[in-house]
Amino acid sequence: MPADTTYLAHHFESLEKQTHAARLGMWLFLATEVLLFTALFAGYGVYRFLYGDAFRAASRGLETWIGAVNTIVLVTSSFTVAMGLERATRGDGRGTRLLFGVSFLLALLFLAFKYVEYSHHFHAGELPGRFYTGEHVQGPGGPIFFALYFLITGLHGIHVVIGMT
């Protein structure tokens, strides 16, 4: 197919309206994501205020080096996706496939680190809510911390899997 071929869906009057609808849809999606994670972090903030000592103790059990590596992996993956999209707009199929492949592998690396991190917490009994059997934090703060931890990081992991798809 020629590189200048445009695709107008049957339900749009013009390519301009289709582009506008796609852009608006993406901004709405991003806004809902911001609202979702803002609510989760606000909940974290409230419970950290209410159970400060327990949250501090529970967070000491997290492997910060894994979080740092995963941050680097995700930032690098975002860069390779952006570069892959740029290559796609230039019609460079080989470069696009290569960069998207690297992004896919980085996403697998992220999920592998999450698996290591999660399996450690599972074996230590640091689970959400009533499933918490950890020994380091007593009282309701530990189960609440790990409920929020698994919810926030799990949703992020789901986002990574959707991005891989």
Side-chain angles (χ1 to χ4, degrees):
M1 272 191 209
D4 63 345
T5 302
T6 56
Y7 300 96
L8 179 64
H10 71 279
H11 54 280
F12 287 105
E13 296 172 8
S14 67
L15 192 59
E16 180 183 346
K17 287 185 179 184
Q18 178 175 300
T19 303
H20 177 73
R23 205 170 267 131
L24 177 63
M26 182 54 69
W27 280 110
L28 288 173
F29 168 74
L30 289 173
T32 62
E33 294 297 294
V34 167
L35 289 172
L36 171 65
F37 281 99
T38 298
L40 289 171
F41 284 115
Y44 176 88
V46 167
Y47 282 110
R48 184 176 173 93
F49 175 76
L50 294 174
Y51 302 103
D53 292 337
F55 269 51
R56 277 187 289 283
S59 68
R60 283 189 210 106
L62 301 179
E63 296 291 340
T64 54
W65 71 270
I66 291 178
V69 169
N70 264 346
T71 299
I72 293 167
V73 165
L74 287 174
V75 169
T76 305
S77 177
S78 296
F79 176 74
T80 57
V81 166
M83 293 304 296
L85 288 171
E86 190 270 331
R87 293 285 177 99
T89 60
R90 288 197 277 147
D92 180 6
R94 185 170 183 251
T96 301
R97 284 189 299 277
L98 175 70
L99 288 163
F100 282 0
V102 169
S103 299
F104 187 85
L105 292 174
L106 289 169
L108 285 177
L109 182 61
F110 170 85
L111 293 173
F113 275 118
K114 269 297 153 210
Y115 172 78
V116 169
E117 199 173 19
Y118 278 14
S119 64
H120 165 75
H121 293 303
F122 280 34
H123 288 105
E126 298 168 336
L127 298 168
R130 64 186 170 108
F131 303 105
Y132 182 84
T133 59
E135 299 174 0
H136 294 87
V137 182
Q138 301 302 317
I144 293 172
F145 175 86
F146 284 102
L148 289 166
Y149 168 78
F150 282 113
L151 182 61
I152 292 169
T153 60
L155 275 172
H156 193 251
I158 291 169
H159 278 80
V160 169
V161 170
I162 290 169
M164 292 169 69
T165 305

